[in-house]
Amino acid sequence: MQTVKIPVSIDPIRAATSRLSYQGVVPGTQLKRLNELCAGDCSDVTVSIECGVDLQGIVYLKGKAVTELTLLCQRCMTLFTTEVTVEFSFSPCRNEAEIDELPDAYDPIEYNEIGEVRLHQLIEDELILAMPLIPTHDIDKCYTGSKDVAIGEIEAAQEERPNPFAVLEKLKSK
């Protein structure tokens, strides 16, 4: 593999028949949606992609993407950095029939209007899906991880109220 700039989009069939491999970097500043979800700027994404055709004749794009994200800890509300690693295996499909016949080893991706696949968007989507749902530090590194926080006062249990349907129960027994 040669270290190259990861193209924004590729023709997957041409790349697969040529057995192209890409290893390089996607600038974090180009991943707008990912940057909106982070507390700070996303670092550059290190990507390696292999294009090919498997034994069944299915065109595939396999790869790995690694980046560091600055997130806001939802427990102590301080910034922390975490590494996000994604491995993916895609196969381009043109219609629903091709998607239905695709083996479980591959996820389907769609061509754009000129028959290409947008790699930067694909990598960004995978990184967004791999982000933690509720970002937090490790419990031993979190500033308030050992303390329970309660906001407001906990009210004592209210006295038992009379059942509003007790009147109906008396009518039923008559």
Side-chain angles (χ1 to χ4, degrees):
M1 282 194 228
Q2 28 178 313
T3 303
V4 295
K5 182 180 175 186
I6 302 297
V8 175
S9 62
I10 63 169
D11 181 351
I13 295 176
R14 184 177 298 150
T17 54
S18 301
R19 295 197 143 314
L20 295 178
S21 295
Y22 300 97
Q23 188 168 0
V25 175
V26 174
T29 56
Q30 292 183 357
L31 306 176
K32 302 288 185 209
R33 293 179 296 139
L34 185 63
N35 278 319
E36 289 175 2
L37 297 174
C38 295
D41 286 339
C42 167
S43 66
D44 292 346
V45 182
T46 305
V47 180
S48 62
I49 298 174
E50 173 190 340
C51 305
V53 180
D54 69 1
L55 296 174
Q56 297 175 341
I58 298 173
V59 173
Y60 66 84
L61 303 170
K62 290 184 181 179
K64 182 177 181 179
V66 180
T67 189
E68 283 192 355
L69 302 176
T70 303
L71 302 173
L72 183 66
C73 177
Q74 297 299 303
R75 193 175 322 161
C76 65
M77 300 311 246
T78 59
L79 297 178
F80 73 101
T81 303
T82 186
E83 184 177 278
V84 177
T85 303
V86 177
E87 292 186 13
F88 51 87
S89 182
F90 290 103
S91 179
C93 298
R94 287 190 170 85
N95 53 39
E96 287 291 323
E98 287 183 11
I99 292 173
D100 292 339
E101 293 176 7
L102 195 64
D104 291 339
Y106 302 112
D107 290 325
I109 52 173
E110 295 179 1
Y111 293 101
N112 64 8
E113 51 284 339
I114 58 174
E116 292 184 341
V117 172
R118 296 184 177 272
L119 288 180
H120 287 204
Q121 183 179 358
L122 181 74
I123 293 165
E124 184 178 25
D125 289 345
E126 289 299 307
L127 289 171
I128 289 172
L129 289 173
M131 284 180 63
L133 188 59
I134 301 173
T136 57
H137 288 105
D138 292 332
I139 193 79
D140 56 332
K141 294 180 183 176
C142 196
Y143 296 110
T144 59
S146 61
K147 302 174 189 172
D148 289 333
V149 178
I151 298 174
E153 295 181 20
I154 299 174
E155 296 178 12
Q158 295 179 354
E159 293 181 24
E160 190 173 319
R161 295 182 191 175
N163 186 353
F165 298 105
V167 177
L168 295 174
E169 190 173 315
K170 290 178 185 175
L171 291 174
K172 184 178 176 184
S173 63
K174 288 185 180 181

